[in-house]
Amino acid sequence: MSASAIVMLIVSIVVVWGGLALAILRLRAHPEVRVPPDTPEDHSI
C-alpha cells in the first residue's frame, strides 16, 4: 500500500472509533431516561 492509502486508512479508523467513543461518553453523561406513560395504552373508551 502507498503512504497516502495508509494515511487515509488511519484517518478513517480514527473517525469511526472516535465517533463511537464520543457517542458512548455522551450517553454515559446524559443517559436516555424513558418515563412510562401515566395512562394505559388502551384508548378504546
Side-chain angles (χ1 to χ4, degrees):
M1 280 199 288
S2 65
S4 63
I6 294 173
V7 169
M8 288 302 296
L9 175 68
I10 292 171
V11 167
S12 63
I13 289 172
V14 168
V15 167
V16 170
W17 287 104
L20 177 64
L22 286 176
I24 291 171
L25 290 175
R26 184 184 177 278
L27 282 173
R28 287 184 68 188
H30 307 286
E32 294 181 6
V33 178
R34 293 187 178 186
V35 178
D38 292 335
T39 58
E41 290 295 321
D42 186 19
H43 299 288
S44 61
I45 298 176

mmCIF file with all atom_site columns, all heavy atoms in Angstrom, residues 17-29:
data_model
loop_
_atom_site.group_PDB
_atom_site.id
_atom_site.type_symbol
_atom_site.label_atom_id
_atom_site.label_alt_id
_atom_site.label_comp_id
_atom_site.label_asym_id
_atom_site.label_entity_id
_atom_site.label_seq_id
_atom_site.pdbx_PDB_ins_code
_atom_site.Cartn_x
_atom_site.Cartn_y
_atom_site.Cartn_z
_atom_site.occupancy
_atom_site.B_iso_or_equiv
_atom_site.pdbx_formal_charge
_atom_site.auth_seq_id
_atom_site.auth_comp_id
_atom_site.auth_asym_id
_atom_site.auth_atom_id
_atom_site.pdbx_PDB_model_num
ATOM 1  N N   . TRP A 1 17 ? -13.875 5.102  15.113 1.00 0.00 ? 17 TRP A N   1
ATOM 2  C CA  . TRP A 1 17 ? -13.745 4.731  16.519 1.00 0.00 ? 17 TRP A CA  1
ATOM 3  C C   . TRP A 1 17 ? -13.853 5.948  17.433 1.00 0.00 ? 17 TRP A C   1
ATOM 4  O O   . TRP A 1 17 ? -14.368 5.837  18.553 1.00 0.00 ? 17 TRP A O   1
ATOM 5  C CB  . TRP A 1 17 ? -12.446 3.988  16.758 1.00 0.00 ? 17 TRP A CB  1
ATOM 6  C CG  . TRP A 1 17 ? -12.513 2.596  16.189 1.00 0.00 ? 17 TRP A CG  1
ATOM 7  C CD1 . TRP A 1 17 ? -11.923 2.168  15.053 1.00 0.00 ? 17 TRP A CD1 1
ATOM 8  C CD2 . TRP A 1 17 ? -13.236 1.479  16.711 1.00 0.00 ? 17 TRP A CD2 1
ATOM 9  N NE1 . TRP A 1 17 ? -12.242 0.842  14.843 1.00 0.00 ? 17 TRP A NE1 1
ATOM 10 C CE2 . TRP A 1 17 ? -13.035 0.402  15.846 1.00 0.00 ? 17 TRP A CE2 1
ATOM 11 C CE3 . TRP A 1 17 ? -14.028 1.302  17.841 1.00 0.00 ? 17 TRP A CE3 1
ATOM 12 C CZ2 . TRP A 1 17 ? -13.596 -0.851 16.069 1.00 0.00 ? 17 TRP A CZ2 1
ATOM 13 C CZ3 . TRP A 1 17 ? -14.585 0.052  18.062 1.00 0.00 ? 17 TRP A CZ3 1
ATOM 14 C CH2 . TRP A 1 17 ? -14.370 -1.005 17.183 1.00 0.00 ? 17 TRP A CH2 1
ATOM 15 N N   . GLY A 1 18 ? -13.403 7.091  16.971 1.00 0.00 ? 18 GLY A N   1
ATOM 16 C CA  . GLY A 1 18 ? -13.547 8.314  17.759 1.00 0.00 ? 18 GLY A CA  1
ATOM 17 C C   . GLY A 1 18 ? -15.006 8.713  17.903 1.00 0.00 ? 18 GLY A C   1
ATOM 18 O O   . GLY A 1 18 ? -15.446 9.124  18.981 1.00 0.00 ? 18 GLY A O   1
ATOM 19 N N   . GLY A 1 19 ? -15.766 8.577  16.820 1.00 0.00 ? 19 GLY A N   1
ATOM 20 C CA  . GLY A 1 19 ? -17.192 8.858  16.897 1.00 0.00 ? 19 GLY A CA  1
ATOM 21 C C   . GLY A 1 19 ? -17.915 7.900  17.828 1.00 0.00 ? 19 GLY A C   1
ATOM 22 O O   . GLY A 1 19 ? -18.800 8.303  18.585 1.00 0.00 ? 19 GLY A O   1
ATOM 23 N N   . LEU A 1 20 ? -17.523 6.648  17.795 1.00 0.00 ? 20 LEU A N   1
ATOM 24 C CA  . LEU A 1 20 ? -18.117 5.667  18.700 1.00 0.00 ? 20 LEU A CA  1
ATOM 25 C C   . LEU A 1 20 ? -17.795 6.006  20.150 1.00 0.00 ? 20 LEU A C   1
ATOM 26 O O   . LEU A 1 20 ? -18.670 5.967  21.019 1.00 0.00 ? 20 LEU A O   1
ATOM 27 C CB  . LEU A 1 20 ? -17.621 4.260  18.358 1.00 0.00 ? 20 LEU A CB  1
ATOM 28 C CG  . LEU A 1 20 ? -18.112 3.136  19.260 1.00 0.00 ? 20 LEU A CG  1
ATOM 29 C CD1 . LEU A 1 20 ? -19.624 2.985  19.151 1.00 0.00 ? 20 LEU A CD1 1
ATOM 30 C CD2 . LEU A 1 20 ? -17.410 1.841  18.933 1.00 0.00 ? 20 LEU A CD2 1
ATOM 31 N N   . ALA A 1 21 ? -16.544 6.363  20.408 1.00 0.00 ? 21 ALA A N   1
ATOM 32 C CA  . ALA A 1 21 ? -16.140 6.715  21.772 1.00 0.00 ? 21 ALA A CA  1
ATOM 33 C C   . ALA A 1 21 ? -16.878 7.961  22.256 1.00 0.00 ? 21 ALA A C   1
ATOM 34 O O   . ALA A 1 21 ? -17.338 8.011  23.403 1.00 0.00 ? 21 ALA A O   1
ATOM 35 C CB  . ALA A 1 21 ? -14.631 6.934  21.826 1.00 0.00 ? 21 ALA A CB  1
ATOM 36 N N   . LEU A 1 22 ? -17.020 8.968  21.393 1.00 0.00 ? 22 LEU A N   1
ATOM 37 C CA  . LEU A 1 22 ? -17.744 10.181 21.786 1.00 0.00 ? 22 LEU A CA  1
ATOM 38 C C   . LEU A 1 22 ? -19.216 9.886  22.055 1.00 0.00 ? 22 LEU A C   1
ATOM 39 O O   . LEU A 1 22 ? -19.805 10.436 22.989 1.00 0.00 ? 22 LEU A O   1
ATOM 40 C CB  . LEU A 1 22 ? -17.602 11.248 20.712 1.00 0.00 ? 22 LEU A CB  1
ATOM 41 C CG  . LEU A 1 22 ? -16.243 11.926 20.625 1.00 0.00 ? 22 LEU A CG  1
ATOM 42 C CD1 . LEU A 1 22 ? -16.212 12.893 19.447 1.00 0.00 ? 22 LEU A CD1 1
ATOM 43 C CD2 . LEU A 1 22 ? -15.921 12.646 21.913 1.00 0.00 ? 22 LEU A CD2 1
ATOM 44 N N   . ALA A 1 23 ? -19.814 9.019  21.254 1.00 0.00 ? 23 ALA A N   1
ATOM 45 C CA  . ALA A 1 23 ? -21.219 8.655  21.470 1.00 0.00 ? 23 ALA A CA  1
ATOM 46 C C   . ALA A 1 23 ? -21.395 7.932  22.798 1.00 0.00 ? 23 ALA A C   1
ATOM 47 O O   . ALA A 1 23 ? -22.350 8.192  23.538 1.00 0.00 ? 23 ALA A O   1
ATOM 48 C CB  . ALA A 1 23 ? -21.719 7.796  20.322 1.00 0.00 ? 23 ALA A CB  1
ATOM 49 N N   . ILE A 1 24 ? -20.482 7.037  23.114 1.00 0.00 ? 24 ILE A N   1
ATOM 50 C CA  . ILE A 1 24 ? -20.558 6.315  24.387 1.00 0.00 ? 24 ILE A CA  1
ATOM 51 C C   . ILE A 1 24 ? -20.389 7.267  25.556 1.00 0.00 ? 24 ILE A C   1
ATOM 52 O O   . ILE A 1 24 ? -21.129 7.204  26.546 1.00 0.00 ? 24 ILE A O   1
ATOM 53 C CB  . ILE A 1 24 ? -19.515 5.180  24.428 1.00 0.00 ? 24 ILE A CB  1
ATOM 54 C CG1 . ILE A 1 24 ? -19.904 4.077  23.446 1.00 0.00 ? 24 ILE A CG1 1
ATOM 55 C CG2 . ILE A 1 24 ? -19.364 4.623  25.839 1.00 0.00 ? 24 ILE A CG2 1
ATOM 56 C CD1 . ILE A 1 24 ? -18.848 3.023  23.248 1.00 0.00 ? 24 ILE A CD1 1
ATOM 57 N N   . LEU A 1 25 ? -19.417 8.166  25.467 1.00 0.00 ? 25 LEU A N   1
ATOM 58 C CA  . LEU A 1 25 ? -19.195 9.125  26.550 1.00 0.00 ? 25 LEU A CA  1
ATOM 59 C C   . LEU A 1 25 ? -20.398 10.044 26.730 1.00 0.00 ? 25 LEU A C   1
ATOM 60 O O   . LEU A 1 25 ? -20.780 10.371 27.854 1.00 0.00 ? 25 LEU A O   1
ATOM 61 C CB  . LEU A 1 25 ? -17.937 9.944  26.273 1.00 0.00 ? 25 LEU A CB  1
ATOM 62 C CG  . LEU A 1 25 ? -16.620 9.187  26.384 1.00 0.00 ? 25 LEU A CG  1
ATOM 63 C CD1 . LEU A 1 25 ? -15.465 10.073 25.971 1.00 0.00 ? 25 LEU A CD1 1
ATOM 64 C CD2 . LEU A 1 25 ? -16.427 8.673  27.799 1.00 0.00 ? 25 LEU A CD2 1
ATOM 65 N N   . ARG A 1 26 ? -21.005 10.461 25.624 1.00 0.00 ? 26 ARG A N   1
ATOM 66 C CA  . ARG A 1 26 ? -22.179 11.339 25.720 1.00 0.00 ? 26 ARG A CA  1
ATOM 67 C C   . ARG A 1 26 ? -23.357 10.616 26.359 1.00 0.00 ? 26 ARG A C   1
ATOM 68 O O   . ARG A 1 26 ? -24.071 11.178 27.188 1.00 0.00 ? 26 ARG A O   1
ATOM 69 C CB  . ARG A 1 26 ? -22.581 11.851 24.346 1.00 0.00 ? 26 ARG A CB  1
ATOM 70 C CG  . ARG A 1 26 ? -23.723 12.840 24.405 1.00 0.00 ? 26 ARG A CG  1
ATOM 71 C CD  . ARG A 1 26 ? -24.168 13.267 23.015 1.00 0.00 ? 26 ARG A CD  1
ATOM 72 N NE  . ARG A 1 26 ? -25.306 14.152 23.095 1.00 0.00 ? 26 ARG A NE  1
ATOM 73 C CZ  . ARG A 1 26 ? -26.572 13.751 23.248 1.00 0.00 ? 26 ARG A CZ  1
ATOM 74 N NH1 . ARG A 1 26 ? -26.842 12.475 23.335 1.00 0.00 ? 26 ARG A NH1 1
ATOM 75 N NH2 . ARG A 1 26 ? -27.549 14.632 23.320 1.00 0.00 ? 26 ARG A NH2 1
ATOM 76 N N   . LEU A 1 27 ? -23.568 9.345  25.989 1.00 0.00 ? 27 LEU A N   1
ATOM 77 C CA  . LEU A 1 27 ? -24.667 8.589  26.579 1.00 0.00 ? 27 LEU A CA  1
ATOM 78 C C   . LEU A 1 27 ? -24.418 8.281  28.050 1.00 0.00 ? 27 LEU A C   1
ATOM 79 O O   . LEU A 1 27 ? -25.366 8.196  28.835 1.00 0.00 ? 27 LEU A O   1
ATOM 80 C CB  . LEU A 1 27 ? -24.902 7.292  25.810 1.00 0.00 ? 27 LEU A CB  1
ATOM 81 C CG  . LEU A 1 27 ? -25.659 7.458  24.508 1.00 0.00 ? 27 LEU A CG  1
ATOM 82 C CD1 . LEU A 1 27 ? -25.692 6.136  23.754 1.00 0.00 ? 27 LEU A CD1 1
ATOM 83 C CD2 . LEU A 1 27 ? -27.058 7.962  24.754 1.00 0.00 ? 27 LEU A CD2 1
ATOM 84 N N   . ARG A 1 28 ? -23.165 8.122  28.438 1.00 0.00 ? 28 ARG A N   1
ATOM 85 C CA  . ARG A 1 28 ? -22.871 7.905  29.850 1.00 0.00 ? 28 ARG A CA  1
ATOM 86 C C   . ARG A 1 28 ? -23.101 9.174  30.654 1.00 0.00 ? 28 ARG A C   1
ATOM 87 O O   . ARG A 1 28 ? -23.538 9.126  31.801 1.00 0.00 ? 28 ARG A O   1
ATOM 88 C CB  . ARG A 1 28 ? -21.435 7.435  30.032 1.00 0.00 ? 28 ARG A CB  1
ATOM 89 C CG  . ARG A 1 28 ? -21.237 5.994  29.582 1.00 0.00 ? 28 ARG A CG  1
ATOM 90 C CD  . ARG A 1 28 ? -19.857 5.522  29.863 1.00 0.00 ? 28 ARG A CD  1
ATOM 91 N NE  . ARG A 1 28 ? -19.667 5.408  31.308 1.00 0.00 ? 28 ARG A NE  1
ATOM 92 C CZ  . ARG A 1 28 ? -18.503 5.153  31.868 1.00 0.00 ? 28 ARG A CZ  1
ATOM 93 N NH1 . ARG A 1 28 ? -17.437 5.001  31.126 1.00 0.00 ? 28 ARG A NH1 1
ATOM 94 N NH2 . ARG A 1 28 ? -18.401 5.064  33.171 1.00 0.00 ? 28 ARG A NH2 1
ATOM 95 N N   . ALA A 1 29 ? -22.834 10.345 30.055 1.00 0.00 ? 29 ALA A N   1
ATOM 96 C CA  . ALA A 1 29 ? -23.029 11.611 30.760 1.00 0.00 ? 29 ALA A CA  1
ATOM 97 C C   . ALA A 1 29 ? -24.498 12.014 30.796 1.00 0.00 ? 29 ALA A C   1
ATOM 98 O O   . ALA A 1 29 ? -24.971 12.583 31.776 1.00 0.00 ? 29 ALA A O   1
ATOM 99 C CB  . ALA A 1 29 ? -22.204 12.703 30.087 1.00 0.00 ? 29 ALA A CB  1
#
